[in-house]
Amino acid sequence: MTVTHGRPMTAEITDILVAHCGLNAEAAARTPAASLEELGMDSLALLELSAVVADRWQVSIPEQAGQLSIAAVADLVARRTDPPGHTENTVLIDAPLALVWDVTNDVANWTELFTEYAVVEILHRDGHTVRFRLTMYPDENGVAWSWVSERTADPVSRQVRAHRVETGPFEYMRIHWRYTEEAGGTRMTWTQDFAMKPTAPVDNAAMTERINTNSVIQLAVIKDRVERIARERAGRSGPAGGSVPAQAGSVDGDASAQAGSAPAQAGSAAGEAGDE
């Protein structure tokens, strides 16, 4: 049950409809699944509801609100007043920055880096910007989620900005990758800012928890796979602890080709979408 200011949102919406729109509270209580239209709310009543909701919560009610029940309207308002989602997850990878940068920005080979992506299709490249389609392994219901994202890498600042072009259940999804050198290797940090659509199966808080859980899994996998590549390179170049030659290549290039074949038996999909 969604609660606002200590009261259920459904009660808040009911009070507005009674006070401003002429709703019969007893009739509404008898038929909680009835739509606003079935409860006698005409276009003028819906305009009044929309005005009060906009004034109180800065939320717009769609024109089709008359087809919704009071509970559905309350859920819609609650979703849109839900604070946007924000996550930040980080991992320290025992490998040179140039190698971490190359391997993790080799989008064409993400199926060998992440465990959740079944297919990556590069749609367009323009300098350091790449647009691509990701398709996940089928979930427990047999659904293979797919969407288009675009990312732009800045090799000077070692940062990447990305966003979903096809947003799916998200109002928006923006991702910021940061890479920094520190004692022990390279720190890679993912920051994600997003909001879910009112029709999404989960709200912002639930998706935040889901992304945080999955990011820990994927960052651990990436750490293991990049460190394995670093060890293989070090073994070919000389004694461990020597400098690892970084044939950096471009950010759009085939980093796995430079690193040998990336040792990535992807396994089955894990967790939820949210990396791009």
Side-chain angles (χ1 to χ4, degrees):
M1 177 181 294
T2 302
V3 176
T4 176
H5 304 300
R7 300 188 67 221
M9 180 65 82
T10 300
E12 296 270 2
I13 298 300
T14 300
D15 287 352
I16 293 170
L17 289 166
V18 170
H20 298 274
C21 308
L23 175 70
N24 184 315
E26 293 182 359
R30 287 195 302 269
T31 55
S35 69
L36 297 185
E37 291 177 350
E38 290 170 337
L39 292 171
M41 299 295 96
D42 59 16
S43 57
L44 291 177
L46 294 175
L47 284 173
E48 185 65 22
L49 171 65
S50 180
V52 176
V53 168
D55 180 63
R56 188 172 300 183
W57 292 292
Q58 290 75 55
V59 169
S60 297
I61 297 291
E63 294 180 1
Q64 299 83 2
Q67 301 168 19
L68 302 177
S69 67
I70 294 175
V73 172
D75 183 62
L76 184 152
V77 173
R79 292 283 188 100
R80 294 189 174 182
T81 57
D82 191 19
H86 174 80
T87 67
E88 183 166 311
N89 292 276
T90 185
V91 66
L92 181 61
I93 301 173
D94 184 11
L97 186 150
L99 175 62
V100 177
W101 174 266
D102 279 351
V103 174
T104 59
N105 284 289
D106 180 21
V107 177
N109 281 294
W110 272 7
T111 53
E112 298 185 0
L113 187 63
F114 294 83
T115 64
E116 56 190 353
Y117 301 139
V119 179
V120 179
E121 180 185 1
I122 303 300
L123 304 177
H124 180 71
R125 293 187 186 272
D126 182 7
H128 293 304
T129 297
V130 57
R131 180 171 291 202
F132 54 99
R133 175 173 292 281
L134 288 174
T135 301
M136 299 183 74
Y137 287 94
D139 63 16
E140 63 276 11
N141 299 313
V143 178
W145 296 96
S146 181
W147 65 90
V148 172
S149 288
E150 184 172 285
R151 59 192 271 119
T152 299
D154 182 349
V156 176
S157 68
R158 299 299 193 184
Q159 298 185 62
V160 181
R161 301 279 182 178
H163 67 279
R164 287 198 182 197
V165 177
E166 293 179 359
T167 57
F170 295 91
E171 291 277 7
Y172 62 89
M173 164 62 82
R174 295 189 287 267
I175 307 98
H176 182 200
W177 295 44
R178 303 192 307 277
Y179 301 76
T180 54
E181 289 182 295
E182 58 181 71
T186 301
R187 182 164 298 281
M188 184 174 70
T189 302
W190 293 344
T191 302
Q192 293 171 257
D193 291 285
F194 61 90
M196 306 307 295
K197 292 178 179 176
T199 54
V202 295
D203 60 14
N204 294 340
M207 182 55 74
T208 296
E209 181 178 0
R210 189 171 295 186
I211 290 174
N212 278 330
T213 298
N214 190 52
S215 292
V216 171
I217 296 170
Q218 295 305 316
L219 285 170
V221 170
I222 291 171
K223 172 181 169 69
D224 178 71
R225 292 177 177 174
V226 175
E227 288 180 352
R228 201 181 312 171
I229 294 171
R231 289 193 299 270
E232 289 179 352
R233 283 193 175 187
R236 289 199 299 269
S237 335
S243 62
V244 178
Q247 275 75 41
S250 71
V251 97
D252 321 341
D254 186 349
S256 66
Q258 298 160 4
S261 67
Q265 278 68 44
S268 61
E272 301 291 331
D275 298 304
E276 277 300 343

